[in-house]
Amino acid sequence: MNSDLFVSRRRAERFAQLLDEANGGRRHHVRSRVDEKLTDLVAVGQQLGAAAPTVEVSTEFRTGLRAMLLATAEREGLGRPAPAATTDRAEHRPAPNRSFLLPSVTARRARARGAILIGIATGAVAVSGISAASENAVPGDALYGMKRSTERAQLALTGSDHSRGQLFLDFARTRLSEAAQLPGDRAGYSGVLDDMDADTRQGVRLLTTAAVQDSDLTALDVVNTFVAAQRTAVNELLGDGTRADRDRTQRSLALLDDALRRSDALRAAIGCGLPAPSGSDTLGPTPASCPADR
């Protein structure tokens, strides 16, 4: 079984339990190491339940969502009647590899799957409206908190470090677009660039670590592509704002240059067969230099 699929499914089932508890359902008296990561997602789920999106969901979206849910229900066996009882002794003999689960366990799993489906349906419809409404929110706007909570929810549901790294870089691009909308707001501008740089470091660290662990140059390609486009866009901010704003922008440009140098150094180290680096910093593994050709 694909490990990412297993982890994502277990996380989804635990999320359904936590959301049920937060909404007044019975406590499951279990704890999981993913509980802390799901805290923000559960909070978003509660907010979505209380929020009333003003954005109209299209008929095409509803139709596609219904088809997806029905296909999932059929695949998971939800609503499928139990096989008819038989008096043939051979029929009662368990087949090889058949799960010996008690009926109560099977019922709990069915309820958990049902809760997940309901959560997908409710969440997808609500998020489609609220996310659309908050998409252009900037710091200080009423919906900005929801926008950032939605981003944390995306991270909580993302399984692999490679995917999480790409998501952090997407968030860095979003922070850059927000900064461009804050001319004259020194505190807001600097704060958004601080968040942008933090997202950049997180994304680069996850991708460079994945590249070293799997000798995967495609993760470094993602970093290089991001840096090239992001640097061009950040440079455009230098023409606006005060000297203090320009000085702050230069620090973000310096970080992008550091990220590119780290990516290129790791690419060279992987190419010449150096062992995985033992040291690391905020940008991920710190490689040694390849020996000079003789």
Side-chain angles (χ1 to χ4, degrees), residues 15 44-45 47-69 116-134 146 150 157:
F15 166 63
V44 172
Q47 293 177 43
L48 291 177
T54 57
V55 177
E56 182 64 27
V57 179
S58 68
T59 302
E60 291 79 5
F61 175 83
R62 293 180 186 276
T63 302
L65 178 63
R66 180 178 183 277
M68 181 270 290
L69 292 174
I116 293 168
L117 286 175
I118 293 171
I120 291 172
T122 304
V125 173
V127 169
S128 66
I130 294 176
S131 294
S134 64
M146 177 60 71
T150 302
L157 291 175

Side-chain angles (χ1 to χ4, degrees), residues 124-208:
V125 173
V127 169
S128 66
I130 294 176
S131 294
S134 64
E135 183 177 356
N136 297 319
V138 296
D141 290 350
L143 289 176
Y144 190 69
M146 177 60 71
K147 179 180 182 179
R148 297 301 296 270
S149 294
T150 302
E151 291 176 353
R152 291 193 292 271
Q154 288 178 268
L155 285 170
L157 291 175
T158 302
S160 70
D161 284 347
H162 192 290
S163 297
R164 285 170 59 83
Q166 289 181 297
L167 203 52
F168 271 114
L169 296 187
D170 287 342
F171 296 158
R173 295 185 185 96
T174 300
R175 302 289 84 80
L176 177 58
S177 68
E178 292 168 0
Q181 300 177 60
L182 296 170
D185 183 354
R186 180 176 176 182
Y189 180 82
S190 180
V192 168
L193 289 192
D194 287 345
D195 289 345
M196 179 185 76
D197 290 350
D199 289 336
T200 298
R201 292 188 188 92
Q202 287 272 36
V204 171
R205 180 180 60 81
L206 287 167
L207 286 165
T208 55

Side-chain angles (χ1 to χ4, degrees), residues 35-283:
D35 285 3
E36 184 176 348
K37 296 180 179 179
L38 292 174
T39 300
D40 289 332
L41 183 58
V42 172
V44 172
Q46 290 182 290
Q47 293 177 43
L48 291 177
T54 57
V55 177
E56 182 64 27
V57 179
S58 68
T59 302
E60 291 79 5
F61 175 83
R62 293 180 186 276
T63 302
L65 178 63
R66 180 178 183 277
M68 181 270 290
L69 292 174
L70 289 175
T72 303
E74 182 178 358
R75 183 175 64 251
E76 298 292 346
L78 298 175
R80 185 180 301 163
T86 175
T87 56
D88 189 344
R89 181 173 299 177
E91 291 295 332
H92 290 281
R93 187 179 302 121
N97 300 324
R98 180 174 295 175
S99 176
F100 292 91
L101 293 179
L102 294 174
S104 59
V105 176
T106 304
R108 284 199 299 272
R109 287 193 175 181
R111 285 196 299 273
R113 291 171 179 171
I116 293 168
L117 286 175
I118 293 171
I120 291 172
T122 304
V125 173
V127 169
S128 66
I130 294 176
S131 294
S134 64
E135 183 177 356
N136 297 319
V138 296
D141 290 350
L143 289 176
Y144 190 69
M146 177 60 71
K147 179 180 182 179
R148 297 301 296 270
S149 294
T150 302
E151 291 176 353
R152 291 193 292 271
Q154 288 178 268
L155 285 170
L157 291 175
T158 302
S160 70
D161 284 347
H162 192 290
S163 297
R164 285 170 59 83
Q166 289 181 297
L167 203 52
F168 271 114
L169 296 187
D170 287 342
F171 296 158
R173 295 185 185 96
T174 300
R175 302 289 84 80
L176 177 58
S177 68
E178 292 168 0
Q181 300 177 60
L182 296 170
D185 183 354
R186 180 176 176 182
Y189 180 82
S190 180
V192 168
L193 289 192
D194 287 345
D195 289 345
M196 179 185 76
D197 290 350
D199 289 336
T200 298
R201 292 188 188 92
Q202 287 272 36
V204 171
R205 180 180 60 81
L206 287 167
L207 286 165
T208 55
T209 301
V212 168
Q213 289 176 344
D214 303 328
S215 296
D216 179 15
L217 297 182
T218 61
L220 300 179
D221 291 339
V222 173
V223 172
N224 287 21
T225 300
F226 164 78
V227 169
Q230 190 82 342
R231 202 181 195 290
T232 299
V234 172
N235 258 319
E236 294 176 359
L237 298 178
L238 289 174
D240 302 323
T242 64
R243 179 175 180 178
D245 287 346
R246 290 194 294 272
D247 289 343
R248 177 62 191 82
T249 304
Q250 288 287 0
R251 297 209 304 271
S252 292
L253 287 171
L255 172 61
L256 292 171
D257 291 341
D258 290 343
L260 182 60
R261 282 192 290 269
R262 178 61 52 83
S263 175
D264 289 344
L266 287 170
R267 188 184 300 273
I270 292 173
C272 66
L274 288 179
S278 57
S280 65
D281 58 17
T282 57
L283 293 177

